[in-house]
Structures are given as structure tokens and as C-alpha cells.
Amino acid sequence: SLTSWLSKVSNMMVKARGVPRFGQDIGETLCDIMKNNGGVDLVIDNLGASHAALQFNSAKVLSECLSTDNKNYVVEKGLNQAVAVANKYGVGVVKDVTKTRVGTLILENLFNHSEGACGDVIALGGLDTVLNECQSVDIETLRHCAGALANAAMYGGSENQEQMVKRKVPNWLFPLA
């Protein structure tokens, strides 16, 4: 099924990045293959799927294939869907740590794009999701939150930094560090 295929792709991408010396190059190549052969489009389309496992595995693949080129593509073609699924995984009383990790990793990568993209992610609720997840006890989630806040501060520009100040982001930076 498509769900199991996406899970295998995600696992392959994680393993590829772990290859000593060449992992980054292999990962970048896999990201390019995903974009050039319609894989990123497929993943974006499935972010809104009603089938929970299909949606999650699509989000997992997306979180692993956000190379610079793919980030540009996602910002242009699927930003709303990517932020919506990341926000979905960051709300609720009972949290699934694997989903919050994926959601915060997506947001961390999207805040690492441009001033305009940062503003759009903030407007879509991405910053609020990251701040909500700053209360997590999961170290990996907290790393993604710290990365997301640092990226938003560096790439966001003055208008977005004002939004960060309004949301008291500086209060979270030292505990995260």
C-alpha cells in the first residue's frame, strides 16, 4: 500500500543520511529524486488525507526531504498543507511524541527559508505550535523547537521578530539552550 511505501521511503532517507562520510550527499540526491519524479507532490497531496497513517507517513517523508530546493518547492506549492499538518501534530491533550517530532521538524525547516515564508508560517499558526511544544519533555522535540525559534529569529526579519516578541519567544530561548 501507499502508506507502507511512504514509511519505507522515510526509513531509507533516515538510513541514507546516517552513512558515514557520504550520508549528506546521498540524502540530497534522494531529495532531488523525490522532487523530480513527483514524490514531493504526492506527499503534499497526502498531507490532507483523512487516512491518519497515510497522512503521518507523508508528513514523515516531507520532514526528511526538505532540502533547500524542496523547501522552495513546498513554500510555493504546499506551505498551507505542511503547516496545517505540523500544527495538527502539536495540539491535543494526548500527544504522540513521534508526531510532534515530525511536526516540529517540518516547522524548523520551514522557518529556515525566507522572511516571507517565516511570516506565512507565523500567520498560519506555526510559531504558536512551536511555543506550545516548548513545554514538551521530549529532547528531540525540544531540539526542533530551539532550531525553529533560532531560524525564525535569523530569517524572519524585523516584522516577524516583532511577532516573536509579542509571543514572548525570548522567554523560551534560554531554557531551550
Side-chain angles (χ1 to χ4, degrees):
S1 78
L2 183 56
T3 302
S4 62
W5 179 80
L6 286 168
S7 181
K8 288 176 186 173
V9 169
S10 174
N11 291 336
M12 179 177 60
M13 293 183 88
V14 169
K15 287 178 184 174
R17 290 190 194 280
V19 172
R21 192 181 242 181
F22 301 107
Q24 193 62 33
D25 292 337
I26 295 169
E28 290 291 319
T29 300
L30 290 173
C31 289
D32 291 344
I33 291 169
M34 286 290 294
K35 186 178 76 123
N36 296 334
N37 293 295
V40 176
D41 288 318
L42 175 76
V43 166
I44 290 170
D45 290 345
N46 288 324
L47 292 177
S50 57
H51 188 276
L54 177 60
Q55 183 184 61
F56 175 66
N57 284 321
S58 296
K60 243 170 87 171
V61 170
L62 180 68
S63 74
E64 293 299 331
C65 74
L66 283 172
S67 62
T68 301
D69 286 344
N70 287 354
K71 267 188 258 191
N72 292 336
Y73 192 79
V74 170
V75 166
E76 289 175 22
K77 307 276 187 198
L79 186 66
N80 291 350
Q81 298 94 313
V83 175
V85 80
N87 289 344
K88 177 181 177 180
Y89 294 155
V91 297
V93 179
V94 179
K95 301 217 181 200
D96 179 340
V97 72
T98 58
K99 288 181 178 176
T100 57
R101 287 175 178 177
V102 167
T104 53
L105 179 56
I106 289 171
L107 293 170
E108 177 183 1
N109 279 298
L110 294 176
F111 275 125
N112 183 5
H113 184 268
S114 65
E115 187 172 334
C118 284
D120 292 342
V121 172
I122 290 171
L124 292 167
L127 181 59
D128 295 323
T129 296
V130 169
L131 291 173
N132 184 48
E133 288 305 320
C134 285
Q135 300 172 46
S136 175
V137 294
D138 178 58
I139 298 298
E140 191 174 327
T141 298
L142 292 173
R143 282 188 189 124
H144 296 316
C145 290
L149 295 177
N151 288 340
M154 287 190 302
Y155 293 93
S158 59
E159 233 176 83
N160 294 320
Q161 290 166 355
E162 283 180 39
Q163 291 298 317
M164 294 174 72
V165 170
K166 285 180 184 174
R167 289 173 171 85
K168 299 182 169 110
V169 168
N171 295 352
W172 287 106
L173 293 177
F174 289 111
L176 289 173

